[in-house]
Amino acid sequence: LIARKVELLNQIAEDMRTKYAVQVEVIIADFGHGATIYKDIEEGLANKDIGILVNNVGVAYDRIKYFHEESEEKIWNMINVNIGAMSLMTKIILPKMESKKKGAIINVASVAAFAPQPLVTMYSATKAYVDFFSRGISYECSDKGITVQCVCPGKVSLHRVKSSWGNCMAFSINQGS
């Protein structure tokens, strides 16, 4: 599991260990920090057999607003998290899956990806990227034993996200075959 919130991530990991008797490892990383975090993530995953990559990290607007009213900092954060994280995590994991000729990548977008969404323009555009990226990678991997899919959920209650396994990268690590 990879995310920025140490306490929440450790709680999720412990829940998974207890409920499902699986081995869970945690990597703390803030995907909003841009490209600087990926070397450490790649090193942390170097000897892991990743069977399923779930790209579920994302940020949204705190309120609806015109694009030009958003701060440059929040624009870059949304690009780094919603686009950069999924793209670079796929780049790290995909070669390992190709070498095994099996694996799955699940990218989480949004129904906002289906059409331009005024007043949440950046969010909509970043989720459209996730959808189109997933389609392209799916085609590229179609003969390599790797399944790529994109899920586009509707509105998610923030209360549920805070108390569930939302807002983190999740990995399923194959043991053995």
Side-chain angles (χ1 to χ4, degrees), residues 93-173:
I93 302 302
L94 189 57
K96 294 177 181 193
M97 291 179 175
E98 281 186 357
S99 70
K100 296 183 307 183
K101 298 186 182 343
K102 66 179 180 176
I105 299 171
I106 303 167
N107 295 321
V108 180
S110 166
V111 295
F114 299 151
Q117 305 289 317
L119 303 177
V120 289
T121 301
M122 275 291 299
Y123 180 77
S124 173
T126 63
K127 294 306 181 173
Y129 175 90
V130 174
D131 181 31
F132 276 68
F133 179 86
S134 300
R135 293 177 198 214
I137 294 297
S138 178
Y139 182 80
E140 291 178 20
C141 295
S142 63
D143 63 345
K144 297 178 178 167
I146 301 165
T147 300
V148 179
Q149 60 181 194
C150 182
V151 295
C152 299
K155 184 178 178 183
V156 176
S157 167
L158 289 178
H159 177 70
R160 290 180 96 190
V161 171
K162 288 180 183 174
S163 65
S164 71
W165 296 358
N167 288 340
C168 65
M169 292 280 193
F171 297 96
S172 175
I173 302 187

Side-chain angles (χ1 to χ4, degrees), residues 10-21 24 163 165:
N10 285 328
Q11 177 188 349
I12 293 167
E14 189 56 36
D15 286 350
M16 292 175 71
R17 288 181 193 112
T18 302
K19 290 179 184 174
Y20 304 107
V24 180
S163 65
W165 296 358

